[in-house]
Amino acid sequence: MSVKTTPAQHQSNLRNVYGTFAIEGMTISKDTRRNLDRIGSGQSSYQQVVNELRVKYAKKG
């Protein structure tokens, strides 16, 4: 299921995620920010990002 958002809504959603992490005293890496942006902007699906991460970390193991 894909939900279309405007660029302004996408940016607002990202700020909300970053803010929630900051409130909890957590940081988000640049790679995580990039992946969230890719998903939110429709460049990649959630599943594509998960698959890329599985490949990435399987190589490290």
Side-chain angles (χ1 to χ4, degrees):
M1 180 173 123
S2 177
V3 177
K4 300 293 182 189
T5 60
T6 65
Q9 183 62 47
H10 169 67
Q11 290 303 315
S12 176
N13 291 343
L14 289 176
R15 281 192 305 274
N16 289 340
V17 170
Y18 304 155
T20 300
F21 272 75
I23 288 167
E24 296 294 328
M26 301 168 65
T27 58
I28 299 174
S29 70
K30 288 181 183 179
D31 284 341
T32 299
R33 287 178 186 250
R34 183 179 55 81
N35 285 332
L36 288 172
D37 190 47
R38 289 172 50 211
I39 294 166
S41 67
Q43 291 175 349
S44 297
S45 71
Y46 166 81
Q47 193 61 52
Q48 286 172 311
V49 171
V50 169
N51 290 341
E52 290 169 9
L53 291 171
R54 285 183 177 143
V55 169
K56 176 182 175 180
Y57 289 104
K59 289 180 182 177
K60 289 185 177 185

